[in-house]
């Protein structure tokens, strides 16, 4: 789907907006609030916190005895809050590049003369997309689903739905084009 | 257990072929999405499976028994007792209240008035529109009407629910709320669902998807029998 990189430091700033937290709490909060995102690695959390601290956006807020970063709670500074607000106010460039592997494969497949292989790739890809769509729909309609779960599933479902429509439209378009050229 | 079975079903409207030999099995409690481009034959297949239309050739079986050869009256009885139908526009009776609309299939089946009303109220409650029981369709939003129509389709506790683009006229959120209730309630009572839709997102509610294209089941789902590359110079 979308291979756009998410700014982990900004997400961490957002998670700290409610009050100081430890690194492991941040990881847990991240995975909970962004349930369909790739889970954060601890290393990534501490590396990002280190950079945020260096830039003065967070400060260590009390340490339990001595110890490493896992013993430290971090708090947002005023500059941190300002950086978070700037990030939230900034409009994202809508699709500056079309960077999906699905798109690239279909574009390349249309150039390649191996029709059978292309067909079986597309059929398999469609099946995989549909299966994932069913899985996400089941997850979000489960009685136990939280609002976070539903919102995350909605996002993924909307994109899979768009991919499937685009795939079908492209095939129909190519078939149409082919008919015109050869009639 | 196989509930419904289509074998080599063919159906035309005058010179226009709509189904050109469709095979399909639907098991007890299964939710099957029938998808594909418009004009592909989805509605015609649904009507044949539900015994509303008779195929020109081929067979339709309900629990192993051929129903396509039955008289109109016998098929109509089967529909009333065993099947439920829901269309894109709820098709509620404008002169009746929500409760009366939902009670209607029970009254037609010979249930007493009081009992029918009680069941109707229970189903309106399950669909989250109990407070509209005494409203007429004209006083309801599209989503509320579709919830009532869903209650009416399920009130007889059918073994199969046929739904043709049931969310087609609703906005995304309302549509998904109606569909979530519909699928959940159907699953709770082991009702099979034949869900016709042209939207991939809606097909996500089903256990399985069958793609109809040009009157036949398209196994790849993408219409890949049409030329793809090759001719592109
Ligand atoms: N009542 C009808 N009279 C004539 N042609 C019809 C009628 N209903 C459907 N058709 C034709 O049959 C084909 C299949 O239609 P339909 O079953 O409605 O497909 P879908 O529901 O997938 O859009 C189409 O070519 C359509 O134009
Ligand atoms: Mg139709």
């Amino acid at each position: 789907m979308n291979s756009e990189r998410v700014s982990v430091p900004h997400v961490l700033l957002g998670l700290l907006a409610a009050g100081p937290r430890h690194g492991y709490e941040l990881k847990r909060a991240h995975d909970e609030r962004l349930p369909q995102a790739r889970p954060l690695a601890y290393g990534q959390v501490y590396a990002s916190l280190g950079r945020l601290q260096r830039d003065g956006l967070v400060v260590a807020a009390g340490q339990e005895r001595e110890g490493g970063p896992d013993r430290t709670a971090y708090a947002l500074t005023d500059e941190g809050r300002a950086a978070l607000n700037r990030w939230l106010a900034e409009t994202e460039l809508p699709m500056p590049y079309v960077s999906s592997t699905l798109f690239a494969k279909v574009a390349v497949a249309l150039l390649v003369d191996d029709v059978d292989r292309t067909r079986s790739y597309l059929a398999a890809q469609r099946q995989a997309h549909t299966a994932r769509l069913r899985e996400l729909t089941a997850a979000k309609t489960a009685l136990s689903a939280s609002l976070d779960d539903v919102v995350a599933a909605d996002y993924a479902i909307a994109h899979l739905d768009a991919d499937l429509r685009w795939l079908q439209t492209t095939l129909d378009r190519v078939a149409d084009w082919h008919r015109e050229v050869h009639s | 257990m196989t509930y419904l079975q289509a074998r080599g079903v063919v159906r035309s409207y005058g010179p226009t072929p709509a189904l050109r030999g469709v095979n399909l099995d639907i098991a007890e409690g299964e939710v099957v999405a029938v998808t594909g481009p418009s004009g592909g034959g989805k509605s015609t297949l649904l009507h044949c499976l539900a015994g509303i239309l008779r195929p020109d050739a081929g067979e339709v079986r309900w629990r192993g028994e051929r129903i396509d050869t039955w008289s109109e009256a016998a098929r109509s009885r089967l529909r009333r007792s065993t099947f439920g139908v829901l269309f894109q526009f709820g098709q509620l009776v404008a002169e009746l209240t929500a409760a009366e609309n939902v009670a209607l299939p029970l009254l037609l089946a010979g249930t007493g008035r009081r009992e029918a009303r009680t069941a109707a109220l229970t189903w309106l409650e399950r669909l989250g529109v109990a407070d509209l029981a005494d409203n007429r369709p004209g006083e309801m939003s599209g989503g509320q009407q579709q919830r009532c129509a869903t209650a009416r389709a399920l009130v007889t506790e059918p073994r199969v629910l046929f739904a043709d683009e049931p969310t087609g006229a609703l906005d995304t959120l309302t549509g998904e709320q109606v569909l979530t209730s519909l699928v959940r309630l159907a699953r709770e009572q082991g009702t099979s669902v034949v869900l016709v839709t042209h939207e991939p997102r809606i097909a996500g509610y089903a256990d399985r998807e069958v793609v109809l294209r040009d009157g036949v089941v398209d196994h790849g789902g993408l219409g890949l029998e049409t030329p793809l590359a090759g001719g592109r110079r």
Side-chain angles (χ1 to χ4, degrees), chain A residues 102-103 105-112 114-127 129-130 162-180, chain B residues 37 211 213-214 218-232:
Chain A
L102 175 65
F103 167 71
K105 280 202 184 174
V106 170
V108 172
L110 292 174
L111 297 170
V112 174
D114 192 341
V115 180
D116 285 341
R117 203 178 51 183
T118 306
R119 279 181 183 153
S120 58
Y121 161 68
L122 292 175
Q125 192 60 59
R126 180 188 191 282
Q127 208 162 41
H129 264 61
T130 324
D163 277 357
L164 283 165
R165 283 165 193 269
W166 169 79
L167 199 55
Q168 189 64 63
T169 308
T170 302
L171 290 167
D172 294 347
R173 219 184 270 292
V174 172
D176 254 12
W177 184 89
H178 189 270
R179 262 194 296 278
E180 254 167 51
Chain B
V211 182
R213 188 183 298 277
D214 298 330
D218 173 359
H219 292 284
L222 286 163
L224 292 174
E225 297 319 307
T226 46
L228 189 64
R232 199 161 186 259

Side-chain angles (χ1 to χ4, degrees), chain A residues 119 134 140-141 161 171 174, chain B residues 176 184 201 206 224 228:
Chain A
R119 279 181 183 153
R134 272 200 286 275
K140 85 173 208 186
T141 54
D161 184 79
L171 290 167
V174 172
Chain B
E176 100 170 33
R184 181 173 297 152
R201 203 167 45 75
L224 292 174
L228 189 64

